[in-house]
Amino acid sequence: MKDKLNNMITENFDKFLLQSSEKSADILHEIEWYDMKVPIRIEKVQLFLQTLVGFDQSLEKAENDAKRIEILENMFIDLRDVIAVTRDEPSADEKDTQLLLSYLISIRIERTIQRNIYLIKQTRKPQDIVRLLDITNQQLTELTQLEPLQSKEDVQLGFSHQLLALRAIRCYYLGKSHLALHRWVEAVSCYDRSLSYAKDAVEKRLPADLLEMLKVVIEDVPLEIVYVQSQAVLEQEGDEPTIVHSKAKVNKTPLIDRLDEFHENPQYLTKNPNIVTMPPEMEPVPAKPLFYDLALNFVNFPSLADKIDEGTGK
């Protein structure tokens, strides 16, 4: 019985050692980054990188883009602390420390670009999207200038493809901005350039989000060009001055006085729409006086009997 108990204890202890070794193996001591082995000796960095395992899966499981942005923002808080610890950590091998720091900075830039893509999908104004794309372009350029990546031609080529895709998307939304301001020539020029860039970039190996946005550009640009050209022709034929003249006429007549006519008037969307005259004009109305003839109850009328008899005889 005693031997059996000892065997059970030994077997459980071996299982415990096996589990402990598996957990210690999970801690990242080295990571591969663009065919470079990055040693990780700082415990806080090890724990942070361990939390990033399966991070993309958690983003995919999120309900919407707003939730994904929230997840990324929370990750940036921890990443900021990890980068600060890495910079302040004394190390015997300065080269390894700089390599680890570059790797952490690349994570920050790549995840920031990913967050910007989610923001672009939620933004409606073209000028705001252009601003976000400018920031993303600048961040991607910063990523290409990291010292460990400058000598890797294949990596730089991939970055150049992403820059081309961003340039195509930026031209597309810049064209929309010109369209909103009735700048027909500038809009068509931006659309043409966007389509050219997009057709070239869509053949490259790109992230799924950029490919999806490029396909939208390729599908929409031909329709947008036709619409811009039609608006330019209408403007040249003098339709716009006629509309302006009708607007001037409408501004003098309130909407309530011409309900049987239609005129496009942007003034109705302002704070002072010309809908009804306030205060309304005074109009004459017939008077209806009320008389209370109380004196009639006290009046004695003369007798008319003789007149009635005379009338009856005739």
Side-chain angles (χ1 to χ4, degrees), residues 35-75:
D35 297 331
M36 294 181 291
K37 294 187 181 298
V38 182
I40 306 170
R41 301 185 179 91
I42 305 174
E43 182 179 359
K44 191 170 184 178
V45 179
Q46 293 173 351
L47 294 175
F48 171 76
L49 295 178
Q50 185 63 35
T51 60
L52 289 184
V53 177
F55 185 75
D56 290 322
Q57 294 180 358
S58 63
L59 288 177
E60 292 177 359
K61 293 179 182 178
E63 300 175 358
N64 48 41
D65 289 339
K67 188 65 177 179
R68 296 185 183 96
I69 293 173
E70 182 180 353
I71 294 173
L72 287 168
E73 291 291 347
N74 293 331
M75 188 270 291

Side-chain angles (χ1 to χ4, degrees), residues 171 174-194 224-225 227-233 235-236:
C171 288
L174 188 59
K176 282 184 171 293
S177 300
H178 287 305
L179 175 61
L181 298 175
H182 293 189
R183 298 172 180 170
W184 317 122
V185 178
E186 292 84 349
V188 171
S189 177
C190 288
Y191 282 143
D192 285 335
R193 191 173 303 175
S194 172
E224 294 285 346
I225 291 177
Y227 175 76
V228 173
Q229 291 174 342
S230 64
Q231 292 298 314
V233 171
E235 184 177 303
Q236 290 178 357

Side-chain angles (χ1 to χ4, degrees), residues 94-208:
E94 187 68 22
K95 184 178 180 181
D96 290 344
T97 303
Q98 291 299 323
L99 184 61
L100 176 60
L101 186 60
S102 298
Y103 171 65
L104 294 175
I105 292 174
S106 72
I107 294 177
R108 184 193 65 190
I109 296 175
E110 290 173 352
R111 295 301 181 178
T112 304
I113 293 174
Q114 189 177 15
R115 182 202 60 184
N116 291 347
I117 297 298
Y118 292 141
L119 287 173
I120 289 171
K121 293 180 179 180
Q122 292 184 328
T123 307
R124 294 292 176 263
K125 294 183 178 180
Q127 57 270 27
D128 294 339
I129 296 178
V130 171
R131 192 177 301 111
L132 282 171
L133 288 168
D134 287 337
I135 296 173
T136 304
N137 195 353
Q138 182 179 356
Q139 291 168 339
L140 188 57
T141 303
E142 181 182 349
L143 184 60
T144 62
Q145 294 174 353
L146 289 178
E147 185 177 355
L149 302 179
Q150 291 181 359
S151 59
K152 294 190 172 296
E153 296 182 359
D154 54 340
V155 177
Q156 294 292 330
L157 182 61
F159 290 152
S160 65
H161 294 163
Q162 295 183 38
L163 286 170
L164 180 62
L166 291 174
R167 196 176 298 122
I169 299 169
R170 182 184 181 278
C171 288
Y172 173 68
Y173 285 103
L174 188 59
K176 282 184 171 293
S177 300
H178 287 305
L179 175 61
L181 298 175
H182 293 189
R183 298 172 180 170
W184 317 122
V185 178
E186 292 84 349
V188 171
S189 177
C190 288
Y191 282 143
D192 285 335
R193 191 173 303 175
S194 172
L195 186 60
S196 176
Y197 290 155
K199 287 182 177 179
D200 190 14
V202 77
E203 303 295 333
K204 313 298 182 182
R205 186 177 179 181
L206 296 170

